[in-house]
Amino acid sequence: MVAQDFASLEVHVYDQKKGNLFVHHDIPLPAYPLCLAHGQVSASGTTGNFCAVGTFLPGIEIWNLDVINALEPSCVLGGENTTEVDETIKEQIMRGALGGSAQVDAASMQPSNGLLPGSHKDAVIALSWNTIHKQVLASGSADCTVKLWDVTMAGQQTEGKCNASTFTHHSDKVQSVEWHPTESTLLATGSYDQTAALLDARSNGSDVKVVKLSSDCECIAWDPFHGEYLTLLSDDGTMTCWDVRKFDTKTPLWSFAASKKGGITSMSYNTRVPGLMATC
């Protein structure tokens, strides 16, 4: 939720008996959110109820949704390197505990080491959590890159071990990333360079299939009943469906104008009724 200068992550609960949907609690965010992804593995490797949040900042925050009034995220993937700041705070706390001066120098509270190794360099605008390899998170950014993260390695970011892979096959902002629901290494990506791509996460970018679209790619969705079908939504309102087994043919299975005026930015398949889709 965004309201003027305040942004938050709202956790909703659905009461099945009464049929009510209500806000259970909310989490203040440091910047306007651009994308969300639900996952089940934390930085410690334990399972739970977690949400990854991408904002205008280069870091990806992961919050434990089961914690009410959480003061900080479970971990942050990438973003500013605050190692020196953290050490300064610890030093000030120790001085205060020993009866010394605990005065903090404002200049020492500013991060001086830039970004953490492997971090995005611009806003994070797309996220997708792998449902099979549950510790793997994919992200797309305005820096034109797609990154894969191992959430369980978040504590070793200064060693560059958290960012598992970086793909640079797009030449403009990456608006969409979506893992295949059953093929754990198959990732689809869409960009403002008017292309969509299909890549094998094991290939390190050596095997990427790309198709040209009529306009910027706004959204990607896998057909839940036909795993070989990938649906793409373009900025001009055109919707196309591709058989990924024949991606190299450059010809979609079908295509139609979902909106002649464009402006459609999202779509979702109904997981219970084959062929039924909603757009917004």
Side-chain angles (χ1 to χ4, degrees):
M1 182 188 75
V2 176
Q4 294 181 350
D5 295 332
F6 175 77
S8 66
L9 172 64
E10 292 186 345
V11 181
H12 294 253
V13 173
Y14 180 69
D15 187 339
Q16 294 183 345
K17 293 183 178 180
K18 298 182 179 180
N20 293 332
L21 181 68
F22 61 93
V23 178
H24 185 266
H25 62 281
D26 59 7
I27 299 170
L29 298 176
Y32 291 155
L34 298 174
C35 54
L36 304 173
H38 184 263
Q40 299 177 337
V41 176
S42 70
S44 63
T46 58
T47 59
N49 186 22
F50 301 93
C51 184
V53 182
T55 69
F56 281 101
L57 300 176
I60 303 167
E61 295 188 342
I62 296 181
W63 291 86
N64 188 341
L65 301 184
D66 293 328
V67 176
I68 300 177
N69 298 325
L71 298 178
E72 59 183 13
S74 299
C75 67
V76 180
L77 308 178
E80 291 184 339
N81 188 346
T82 60
T83 303
E84 291 186 3
V85 175
D86 295 340
E87 291 300 322
T88 301
I89 293 175
K90 291 180 182 178
E91 182 180 343
Q92 296 294 337
I93 292 175
M94 289 299 296
R95 287 182 180 178
L98 296 174
S101 174
Q103 184 176 358
V104 178
D105 181 6
S108 66
M109 292 295 100
Q110 300 300 321
S112 60
N113 293 339
L115 300 175
L116 286 166
S119 174
H120 281 299
K121 297 179 181 179
D122 208 332
V124 178
I125 54 181
L127 291 169
S128 180
W129 216 311
N130 197 304
T131 57
I132 299 174
H133 300 300
K134 299 181 185 296
Q135 79 277 17
V136 179
L137 179 71
S139 62
S141 170
D143 65 8
C144 310
T145 66
V146 174
K147 290 182 178 290
L148 304 185
W149 305 87
D150 185 340
V151 176
T152 61
M153 302 294 285
Q156 303 182 45
Q157 289 197 82
T158 55
E159 303 173 24
K161 295 182 178 181
C162 185
N163 173 219
S165 298
T166 299
F167 300 91
T168 58
H169 54 282
H170 286 300
S171 60
D172 207 332
K173 296 182 288 293
V174 181
Q175 173 68 15
S176 303
V177 293
E178 195 69 33
W179 287 107
H180 191 280
T182 58
E183 296 294 334
S184 61
T185 64
L186 193 59
L187 180 68
T189 65
S191 169
Y192 278 8
D193 61 7
Q194 299 186 13
T195 68
L198 193 66
L199 60 91
D200 188 329
R202 300 168 296 184
S203 67
N204 292 323
S206 61
D207 183 20
V208 178
K209 298 178 181 178
V210 179
V211 292
K212 186 69 175 177
L213 304 177
S214 59
S215 184
D216 298 339
C217 183
E218 287 286 355
C219 188
I220 291 174
W222 291 98
D223 189 324
F225 297 96
H226 301 279
E228 68 275 21
Y229 294 164
L230 177 67
T231 305
L232 308 173
L233 183 63
S234 301
D235 181 59
D236 61 1
T238 302
M239 185 180 295
T240 56
C241 183
W242 302 75
D243 187 334
V244 297
R245 299 170 299 181
K246 304 175 182 178
F247 223 47
D248 292 335
T249 64
K250 312 298 183 182
T251 303
L253 285 173
W254 50 260
S255 175
F256 76 96
S259 173
K260 294 182 179 180
K261 296 182 179 179
I264 301 178
T265 59
S266 62
M267 60 180 172
S268 178
Y269 272 99
N270 188 310
T271 57
R272 295 180 178 271
V273 182
L276 188 60
M277 175 184 287
T279 61
C280 178

